[in-house]
Amino acid sequence: HEVVDISPPSLDGMSRAEKLSKAARTSIILALARRVPASDWRIDVIASVELRLQPCDAKIPFSLPWLDKSERKIAELLKIGSADKARDLQPYLSNLCVDEKFRGQKLGKSLVRCIEDIATTTWGYSRLFLHVDLENVPALNLYKGEGYVDVKRRWNPFWAGRAADIGYFVKKFAKDHKN
């Protein structure tokens, strides 16, 4: 059996720009899947979630790292946002999804707890951040029920549209972790 490496990206000795670039290109994706009945090789993904390092400046990450870098640079030049928070890379939970047919079975909660365990036990961090649409009541209830609290900070430059309507949450864990 091959061992899967779930350690955090090594950022030692890198400049801030290099750290941001590597963090944006490195993530862990957990997926729950099942074999399609009457098939030897096809699977259906029924749930998934992503973990990566992300600056904790409340910015919603794009899937294109160059776009994040450009937007942060513009915000910095215009003195919008929180540059000090942008320097602090922290674990970030994103893209949690569960197939509608499998909701209500605590799969989302289980994946969140797996990500929390990786972020704290394997990566050694004591906080985990995420964004959630405040109108997505089931997701909001899941995160609040797991101990996430709204940090009351929003990424809200004039070009970001309704981004300020998206909640930015954090969960703090025991202090015995390294970060």
Side-chain angles (χ1 to χ4, degrees):
H1 295 311
E2 192 172 330
V3 175
V4 176
D5 181 12
I6 58 171
S7 58
S10 176
L11 305 175
D12 294 337
M14 293 183 172
S15 69
R16 177 178 177 263
E18 291 169 328
K19 287 178 182 181
L20 288 171
S21 177
K22 186 168 185 178
R25 295 186 326 270
T26 308
S27 65
I28 292 174
I29 298 172
L30 300 180
L32 294 176
R34 67 178 185 150
R35 187 174 60 82
V36 173
S39 172
D40 290 334
W41 57 273
R42 287 192 44 219
I43 62 169
D44 283 333
V45 174
I46 57 175
S48 63
V49 66
E50 181 177 1
L51 174 65
R52 66 187 260 185
L53 290 177
Q54 171 79 15
C56 53
D57 58 1
K59 184 187 175 318
I60 300 168
F62 289 106
S63 55
L64 301 169
W66 67 267
L67 195 52
D68 274 329
K69 180 179 177 182
S70 299
E71 190 174 34
R72 278 196 176 88
K73 189 65 174 169
I74 292 167
E76 186 177 315
L77 291 171
L78 297 175
K79 300 192 183 330
I80 298 171
S82 179
D84 59 319
K85 300 289 185 190
R87 299 181 198 293
D88 186 18
L89 290 172
Q90 291 290 315
Y92 179 78
L93 181 155
S94 62
N95 301 320
L96 175 65
C97 59
V98 177
D99 185 306
E100 289 179 10
K101 297 181 297 242
F102 297 95
R103 292 182 184 164
Q105 299 180 40
K106 303 200 183 315
L107 297 175
K109 182 184 286 192
S110 296
L111 285 174
V112 167
R113 289 179 178 180
C114 285
I115 290 295
E116 290 174 351
D117 186 58
I118 293 168
T120 58
T121 304
T122 304
W123 289 17
Y125 286 83
S126 61
R127 298 181 295 170
L128 180 59
F129 290 84
L130 59 85
H131 282 96
V132 62
D133 183 340
L134 300 175
E135 294 178 7
N136 184 344
V137 175
L140 189 59
N141 288 340
L142 166 66
Y143 296 130
K144 285 183 172 182
E146 290 299 300
Y148 289 83
V149 295
D150 193 336
V151 298
K152 304 292 186 200
R153 190 169 65 237
R154 301 290 185 264
W155 177 260
N156 196 22
F158 61 86
W159 64 82
R162 294 194 58 223
D165 297 341
I166 304 297
Y168 189 51
F169 285 67
V170 66
K171 182 174 181 179
K172 296 179 182 178
F173 300 91
K175 299 286 185 198
D176 59 348
H177 301 287
K178 67 181 177 188
N179 292 310

